Amino acid sequence: MKSIIKGIFSEERTPVPVYLLGAGAFIIFVLGWHFTRDIFQSVDVLFWDEANYMQSGKLITEKLNRSWGPAYAIWYKIVSLFENDSLKLYYLNFRLMTILPAITLFIFLAVSNIRVWMSLAIGLLFLFADINLPVWPKVSHYCIFIFLTGLILMKYIPSRLVQIAFISLFALNISYARPEFYLTYVAILGLWIVALFFKEFRSRKIILLSLALIFFGFAVQVVMGNPLFNFKGDRSALAFAQHFMFNYFQWNHIEHDFWITWMPYYEELFKNAPSIKEAYLSNKRMFHLHFLTNFQNYFTNAFTLYSDAMLPEKLINIPIKGRLAILLFGGIIMFAVASQNKYLETILNGFKRNIFALVLLLLMIGPTLISCFIIYPRTHYMIFHYILVVFIVSIFIFSKPKDARPFNAFTILFSVIIVIAIFMDIPSTKAYKHFDLWRKETSQANLKTIEKIKAYNFHDTIHLLENEGGMNIFLGNNFQWVRGFMKDTTWTAYLEKEHVDIIYVTPSLVNYPTLQKDSTWNQFEAHPEEYGYQKVLTGDHIPYLYIQKNLLKEN
């Protein structure tokens, strides 16, 4: 047992010249920047989570919102130093969070004994995968970028004890973006305690240095609060409630937006349970059905997503059956070759060199795997698992032998061929099916509406009613969000009560249960001019605006 544990802490790093890593990172960045050049014409703006992270970041010097991903908000603040306009900042970060994880994946594989040319290929293939660009929100991409950066830098620290303390800070950082990673942080601290029992990993100087890093992490928590309990109420229970309703609405063919209409159903089915544990105890049958549905959906989606990330359909244009045949054939060849002693030795050496990194990646994906089954297998959860899968596959197939040089002429040749082939076939971002909050109509309605409203250049305080999740964030401080789903009286009375100036009419608003039953809404729709509003189209799409006629006269 002792030898197994000791083996976990005995990872070696294959030296790869920094200039070679820099060249590969530069290539991925340039190709990624070129790839995402038309993102303004293909991706719509979504509000809710991503917009709140961005707003928290922009306002972080005025007020630190500890309960809403402060680490990701700080990242947004850093990016905002280069672009302060909210709309442009949103798209700039979207591009960076598509490109930077691909760069860190390449570097991580390259310094982990994987052939450099193949590490570059995997990073580029991930860049164009469906599990990368279209995924929203981008907070998971931030976590991957940060944690892989930590794993890369960790390899250049000679002491294992200091390495563990060092990587714990990166785990703590991502826990301030996604609270479930606090479990990863605690588990890594557990590894540090285990490492203390091995004499070869400790000395007085090393222990003091690693303790300083650990105490720094504790100091951060004193200032910032514990990331797992910063949210008012149980954040995991909220996520469970909303995503349970995603399944429930599908089972029962309910045509409502589950993320804003879940509350009355949840109260009826789970007695408004304030935690996942209490929800389970309240209705075990429905909980089990939800779990089994998630389990089935996970494995239904896993192969499609992971195989596409290895052979992106938008880049290579191989249908899923073709990808299945290629991967199965490759697996057969791998097992046939693995019987050769030299190749088997290379594989075993690859795992020996990387066992500690594998353990750390397992600790990272553990909380997200639980989330997939308990909450829902969202793509931005499953992206973490792809990193581990592709790492294991790479060790099996593309590990370098012990006597291999860091790179040779073939490395350069293969890399050049890969880059040229990909550059000649870079897909457009318009070819992807981007996440759009399950809208039935594909459009850039939110973006076009923001641009339309901004063109009026309103200076007075504007009360904007919508159900899309915070459009006001992109319009200026003089805009205030009136939540349509919080209507507690008749439609016309609510407009008067909230002094509504602009209404953004979308399916989420029109299909909201209380509005569907409100006769005054139908009267308003038939004759908006009688209530002082004028209908304004913002493009060739379903959503449109109602704007007070007095505002339009002033402009």
Side-chain angles (χ1 to χ4, degrees):
M1 183 66 180
K2 183 177 180 180
S3 61
I4 294 175
I5 297 175
K6 186 177 178 180
I8 294 175
F9 297 117
S10 61
E11 177 185 348
E12 302 175 37
R13 177 179 58 84
T14 302
V16 179
V18 174
Y19 71 85
L20 199 63
L21 299 175
F26 178 76
I27 288 169
I28 294 175
F29 186 86
V30 170
L31 289 178
W33 198 256
H34 180 66
F35 165 54
T36 57
R37 67 193 182 281
D38 58 355
I39 198 168
F40 261 103
Q41 289 76 47
S42 52
V43 178
D44 198 14
V45 181
L46 297 181
F47 311 130
W48 297 114
D49 294 12
E50 195 71 30
N52 281 319
Y53 288 126
M54 183 185 71
Q55 184 74 341
S56 295
K58 293 190 70 174
L59 300 177
I60 206 165
T61 54
E62 300 174 21
K63 180 182 179 181
L64 176 62
N65 187 350
R66 292 178 173 83
S67 66
W68 194 259
Y72 191 34
I74 291 171
W75 167 260
Y76 257 114
K77 182 63 178 179
I78 295 170
V79 178
S80 72
L81 298 177
F82 303 92
E83 180 54 73
N84 192 52
D85 179 82
S86 295
L87 202 55
K88 293 179 180 178
L89 174 61
Y90 179 92
Y91 281 103
L92 173 60
N93 184 68
F94 208 99
R95 298 177 77 178
L96 291 175
M97 287 297 102
T98 297
I99 298 168
L100 293 179
I103 291 175
T104 51
L105 178 59
F106 151 66
I107 297 175
F108 171 67
L109 293 175
V111 299
S112 299
N113 201 47
I114 306 302
R115 296 182 185 276
V116 175
W117 66 270
M118 198 61 218
S119 299
L120 179 64
I122 291 171
L124 286 170
L125 292 175
F126 173 71
L127 180 67
F128 302 105
D130 278 332
I131 204 171
N132 185 20
L133 172 69
V135 175
W136 180 96
K138 289 295 184 183
V139 62
S140 293
H141 287 68
Y142 167 81
C143 293
I144 287 172
F145 164 61
I146 293 296
F147 198 73
L148 286 183
T149 299
L151 290 179
I152 293 164
L153 296 176
M154 181 192 74
K155 288 177 178 289
Y156 293 89
I157 297 174
S159 167
R160 178 64 74 201
L161 210 60
V162 178
Q163 282 185 347
I164 299 172
F166 178 77
I167 196 63
S168 74
L169 297 180
F170 288 81
L172 182 62
N173 180 289
I174 63 175
S175 73
Y176 281 106
R178 297 190 64 90
E180 62 266 32
F181 287 124
Y182 193 73
L183 302 177
T184 301
Y185 168 73
V186 172
I188 290 174
L189 291 185
L191 284 180
W192 183 83
I193 293 172
V194 171
L196 281 175
F197 289 92
F198 293 87
K199 292 181 180 179
E200 49 268 70
F201 296 143
R202 68 175 187 254
S203 69
R204 185 176 179 181
K205 181 179 179 182
I206 293 301
I207 290 177
L208 289 176
L209 180 56
S210 60
L211 274 174
L213 293 172
I214 289 173
F215 282 132
F216 176 75
F218 290 158
V220 169
Q221 295 177 67
V222 170
V223 175
M224 298 289 291
N226 185 295
L228 201 58
F229 304 107
N230 268 346
F231 193 74
K232 293 180 181 179
D234 191 332
R235 187 170 177 175
S236 61
L238 174 64
F240 164 76
Q242 290 182 317
H243 289 86
F244 171 85
M245 289 307 154
F246 180 67
N247 282 331
Y248 185 80
F249 283 16
Q250 287 189 320
W251 299 333
N252 296 279
H253 308 290
I254 299 173
E255 295 290 332
H256 289 157
D257 297 328
F258 68 90
W259 57 93
I260 55 175
T261 60
W262 61 273
M263 287 176 279
Y265 296 94
Y266 184 74
E267 183 174 356
E268 179 183 350
L269 291 167
F270 295 100
K271 314 304 179 189
N272 211 21
S275 69
I276 293 179
K277 179 182 178 181
E278 291 182 54
Y280 172 74
L281 295 174
S282 175
N283 196 333
K284 293 181 181 179
R285 186 183 70 84
M286 295 302 295
F287 193 97
H288 290 157
L289 181 59
H290 172 71
F291 180 89
L292 291 173
T293 301
N294 288 345
F295 190 82
Q296 179 182 352
N297 288 337
Y298 180 89
F299 289 101
T300 299
N301 297 332
F303 177 78
T304 301
L305 290 170
Y306 301 158
S307 65
D308 179 82
M310 296 175 189
L311 298 169
E313 185 179 356
K314 302 297 187 302
L315 188 67
I316 303 175
N317 197 27
I318 299 175
I320 188 169
K321 290 183 179 179
R323 297 202 300 268
L324 176 61
I326 291 173
L327 293 173
L328 285 176
F329 185 66
I332 292 170
I333 293 176
M334 183 192 72
F335 282 112
V337 175
S339 60
Q340 300 178 17
N341 291 334
K342 185 177 180 181
Y343 183 68
L344 183 59
E345 181 183 350
T346 299
I347 294 175
L348 294 175
N349 181 58
F351 277 102
K352 181 181 177 182
R353 285 174 178 267
N354 292 296
I355 189 169
F356 186 54
L358 285 167
V359 168
L360 291 173
L361 284 175
L362 280 169
L363 293 180
M364 180 186 71
I365 74 166
T368 63
L369 190 62
I370 295 171
S371 296
C372 282
F373 298 140
I374 300 298
I375 296 174
Y376 191 81
R378 289 278 300 274
T379 308
H380 74 94
Y381 292 152
M382 298 177 68
I383 189 175
F384 294 100
H385 312 161
Y386 163 74
I387 302 299
L388 178 63
V389 169
V390 78
F391 189 35
I392 293 173
V393 171
S394 299
I395 293 173
F396 264 110
I397 306 178
F398 303 112
S399 289
K400 289 184 291 189
K402 274 187 175 182
D403 56 351
R405 289 182 295 171
F407 71 100
N408 52 32
F410 288 105
T411 299
I412 306 298
L413 176 62
F414 289 150
S415 298
V416 170
I417 292 173
I418 290 167
V419 171
I420 292 175
I422 288 177
F423 181 76
M424 293 177 64
D425 193 34
I426 289 183
S428 168
T429 54
K430 296 178 183 179
Y432 291 79
K433 176 65 175 76
H434 298 278
F435 181 75
D436 59 3
L437 276 180
W438 298 278
R439 295 189 298 203
K440 293 181 180 180
E441 178 196 37
T442 299
S443 72
Q444 289 186 285
N446 290 346
L447 173 61
K448 300 304 180 185
T449 302
I450 290 171
E451 292 175 338
K452 182 75 173 182
I453 295 175
K454 289 180 75 172
Y456 286 114
N457 198 27
F458 295 124
H459 294 290
D460 296 332
T461 299
I462 303 295
H463 296 86
L464 171 62
L465 184 149
E466 45 94 356
N467 273 1
E468 298 305 304
M471 181 183 282
N472 60 301
I473 290 172
F474 295 88
L475 294 170
N477 295 331
N478 59 314
F479 282 80
Q480 297 182 10
W481 180 19
V482 179
R483 293 156 176 79
F485 55 85
M486 295 184 69
K487 183 176 77 71
D488 54 0
T489 182
T490 63
W491 170 255
T492 51
Y494 191 63
L495 294 182
E496 185 176 351
K497 173 187 173 184
E498 299 295 336
H499 309 289
V500 175
D501 300 296
I502 301 176
I503 305 162
Y504 184 35
V505 182
T506 62
S508 289
L509 180 69
V510 175
N511 295 329
Y512 198 74
T514 57
L515 199 64
Q516 288 183 324
K517 301 173 184 177
D518 192 332
S519 60
T520 66
W521 160 252
N522 297 325
Q523 296 168 11
F524 177 88
E525 272 270 75
H527 303 286
E529 66 282 353
E530 294 182 5
Y531 299 89
Y533 292 86
Q534 180 176 318
K535 186 174 182 177
V536 176
L537 300 180
T538 63
D540 187 21
H541 42 248
I542 294 173
Y544 53 89
L545 294 169
Y546 283 121
I547 303 179
Q548 279 201 0
K549 290 188 288 186
N550 290 336
L551 285 175
L552 295 175
K553 289 178 182 178
E554 294 172 4
N555 287 270

